[in-house]
Amino acid sequence: MNTPRFSVIVPVYNRPGEVKELLDSLLVQTVKNFEVILIEDGSTEPCRKEYESAKAAGLDAKYYFKENEGRSIARNYGMERASGDYFVFFDSDCVIPQDYFSALAKSLNEKPVDCFGGPDAAHESFSDTQKAINYSMTSFMTTGGIRGGKIRLEKFVPRTFNMGYSREVYDKVGGFREMFSEDIDMSTRVRNAGFSIGLIRNPVWHKRRVDFRKFFRQVYVFGKSRVTLKLLYPDSLKIVHLLPAAFVIGTVALILLGIFVSQWFLLPLGLYFIAVFIGALIATHRLKIAAMSIPAAVIQLGGYGCGFIKDFTTKIILRRGRNVEEEIEMRKGK
């Protein structure tokens, strides 16, 4: 058997149904120069049956079950057992377009890079909530467009829902650290080691969170992790990362001024919500999704901003809590 060019590494925790959709999409790829490595991270609802079904249908796949230690350690476990020239990372809730590996191979042949990443998008079959969250996560109005396949307000940073790097990078830089925003940490380490990083506009369909409550918890953690990254890499904090905190502070100030001084102070918020609505309507052509994009944007910016403000105040201003290395070691269970 020929050595695969790509090793697809997917950590899994209690998502058998979503893994089936991911494996089904990998079964119908137009190019088959890849292997799939599933690492079950101590799940109580394992996906072994879904793996066995895909394996029987012809997918070049391996399955490993290990104790729960976190997604980064699971990815590292998979890389240790991979045979490809490139390691490709998907989240278990992704669905891969049929020509993904064909387009990836073509891009790397034409313009080789050591590390690459791509955007994510919403599939037509996703729920309206997922589509609204997807718009919020990829819109210039909320993220500066940095997750939507455009290089805008900071250097492009690959994320593990659609990311890969060469074996040479792995040999020199190593694997992921068990921490929040581990993909940003990895991308920073790859860049600092002198390797090239490229954006390949080759999207995957990413299901994201299924309700706004879970979405808030996710972006709240993202905001906290940005402070951790600031402590690890002092020069990594950019203006774009401060905008959600500014949104939170500004929104509170405008609401208070609107209540106690003049309702005209609420006008900037109204104009922003109208802009989000119009942008989402143009992007999705759906009134309902456009309307839902307004609370999604508020949660996106508000959750991230609140998490950032909390940890920035605690860890940087007050200098309390564990240092970064202690946190990382704690998450490894050491």
Side-chain angles (χ1 to χ4, degrees), residues 227 230 237 307-318:
V227 177
K230 157 69 175 172
L237 190 65
F308 180 90
I309 291 169
K310 178 183 180 299
D311 269 25
F312 189 89
T313 301
T314 302
K315 296 181 178 179
I316 294 182
I317 296 177
L318 300 179

Side-chain angles (χ1 to χ4, degrees), residues 53-177:
S53 177
K55 180 81 170 176
L59 188 67
D60 182 5
K62 300 173 185 175
Y63 174 88
Y64 300 96
F65 188 99
K66 59 181 290 299
E67 64 176 320
N68 179 253
E69 295 179 286
R71 59 182 179 265
S72 291
I73 296 175
R75 290 190 187 102
N76 297 341
Y77 187 94
M79 284 188 283
E80 291 170 359
R81 291 155 179 79
S83 56
D85 297 323
Y86 282 89
F87 303 138
V88 179
F89 307 100
F90 299 137
D91 286 347
S92 58
D93 59 350
C94 288
V95 178
I96 313 305
Q98 194 171 19
D99 61 350
Y100 178 90
F101 284 98
S102 174
L104 176 60
K106 182 175 183 293
S107 180
L108 290 175
N109 289 340
E110 293 175 352
K111 188 178 180 180
V113 290
D114 302 305
C115 176
F116 59 87
D120 53 351
H123 190 268
E124 182 57 36
S125 64
F126 292 179
S127 71
D128 289 342
T129 300
Q130 289 171 319
K131 291 175 182 177
I133 291 174
N134 178 77
Y135 174 77
S136 178
M137 292 285 280
T138 58
S139 169
F140 181 81
M141 297 293 294
T142 52
T143 66
I146 57 177
R147 289 176 63 108
K150 302 176 180 67
I151 304 174
R152 291 295 180 94
L153 299 183
E154 68 166 349
K155 290 181 179 178
F156 172 68
V157 178
R159 307 295 178 94
T160 47
F161 55 75
N162 184 5
M163 175 183 180
Y165 56 74
S166 68
R167 182 174 291 275
E168 182 182 358
V169 169
Y170 174 68
D171 290 339
K172 184 172 181 178
V173 180
F176 294 87
R177 295 201 277 196

Side-chain angles (χ1 to χ4, degrees), residues 71-72 75 91 160 163 176-187 189 225 229:
R71 59 182 179 265
S72 291
R75 290 190 187 102
D91 286 347
T160 47
M163 175 183 180
F176 294 87
R177 295 201 277 196
E178 184 56 33
M179 56 181 289
F180 298 124
S181 293
E182 72 282 359
D183 43 10
I184 301 177
D185 170 70
M186 171 58 74
S187 296
R189 289 160 53 203
S225 68
L229 292 165

Side-chain angles (χ1 to χ4, degrees), residues 282-310:
I282 293 172
T284 67
H285 307 289
R286 293 276 305 280
L287 282 170
K288 182 180 179 181
I289 297 172
M292 294 177 69
S293 294
I294 296 174
V298 172
I299 292 170
Q300 163 92 25
L301 293 170
Y304 190 110
C306 288
F308 180 90
I309 291 169
K310 178 183 180 299

